Amino acid sequence: MPRSAVSRKTSNPPTADTRQRILAAAKEEFARYGIAGARVDRLAKQARTSKERVYAYFSSKEALYHHITGHETAALIEATRMDPADLPGYAGILFDHFTAHPDHYRLITWGRLELADGDTVHPMLATITGKVEQLRDAQRAGLIDPAWDPVDVLALINQIATTWAGQPEIGAAAAKLAADTSVGARRAALVTAVERLFPRAR
């Protein structure tokens, strides 16, 4: 094998590994401190690399944030597909995702607080449009009460499903004060709430 080929083969894995360490450290940094509060030198130290190396991969802190959230949003979309005939089940899927990935909810929230509206709305617009059309089709098929605007249906379900992710202080209180302190009880409550608003298709 030519020497140059050997060199390429041995140099690629460390480079890829460094990039993955940067992404993992950046995800944690942004979730904890937001965009303005995140420090490239701190995440570089966590990733066991240099600040200069981070900027070699990503032109700015904002570009790194957008890369992280783009990947996380794609994972969210894949993991939380909606069945319009079972909206309570969809709420439960959303709850499960954000319970398993609380950092994802924090990443999204920081973006809403710190970025211009277009920077947070546009990446999700196609997905939202698709789900609204699914709901509209389900109304035509008699699966959902047509009196509801599909946009309101989607907004209400998302809000209910992220109740606990968005209110950790109440979650902490529930762990001490609720009759049933389990995570399963919190999930059951929000699924029941959505069931009463938008019953499963029979």
Side-chain angles (χ1 to χ4, degrees):
M1 181 181 296
R3 185 175 178 180
S4 60
V6 173
S7 177
R8 284 195 300 271
K9 185 176 181 180
T10 57
S11 64
N12 285 342
T15 300
D17 186 53
T18 299
R19 189 174 189 274
Q20 287 306 116
R21 291 200 310 271
I22 290 170
L23 291 174
K27 179 179 175 182
E28 182 178 335
E29 181 77 9
F30 286 127
R32 181 176 296 182
Y33 299 107
I35 305 167
R39 295 291 177 265
V40 175
D41 53 352
R42 186 165 52 207
L43 74 86
K45 183 178 180 180
Q46 179 68 21
R48 305 194 307 279
T49 189
S50 67
K51 184 175 180 179
E52 292 73 22
R53 196 65 176 163
V54 174
Y55 284 121
Y57 287 109
F58 302 96
S59 60
S60 66
K61 187 168 62 171
E62 290 73 19
L64 178 53
Y65 173 82
H66 282 300
H67 182 90
I68 294 289
T69 53
H71 181 272
E72 291 298 302
T73 299
L76 170 65
I77 292 168
E78 181 63 28
T80 59
R81 294 184 181 277
M82 183 181 71
D83 177 1
D86 183 9
L87 296 179
Y90 173 60
I93 290 171
L94 287 172
F95 173 87
D96 292 340
H97 180 84
F98 288 116
T99 298
H101 307 283
D103 53 338
H104 188 178
Y105 185 84
R106 291 194 296 270
L107 281 168
I108 293 172
T109 301
W110 281 116
R112 288 170 177 163
L113 290 171
E114 298 189 58
L115 296 176
D117 289 344
D119 289 339
T120 55
V121 172
H122 294 324
M124 290 293 293
L125 189 57
T127 299
I128 292 169
T129 300
K131 288 184 177 181
V132 167
E133 287 305 315
Q134 279 185 278
L135 293 169
R136 193 166 280 130
D137 289 342
Q139 287 178 317
R140 296 188 189 106
L143 303 178
I144 300 173
D145 184 351
W148 288 97
D149 190 308
V151 174
D152 292 327
V153 174
L154 187 61
L156 287 168
I157 293 172
N158 285 349
Q159 189 64 40
I160 293 170
T162 57
T163 294
W164 300 106
Q167 301 183 88
E169 67 284 358
I170 298 183
K176 296 180 180 179
L177 304 176
D180 182 341
T181 60
S182 68
V183 173
R186 309 285 76 75
R187 185 187 196 277
L190 68 87
V191 169
T192 298
V194 175
E195 173 74 35
R196 291 181 181 179
L197 283 171
F198 312 111
R200 290 179 175 88
R202 304 299 180 186

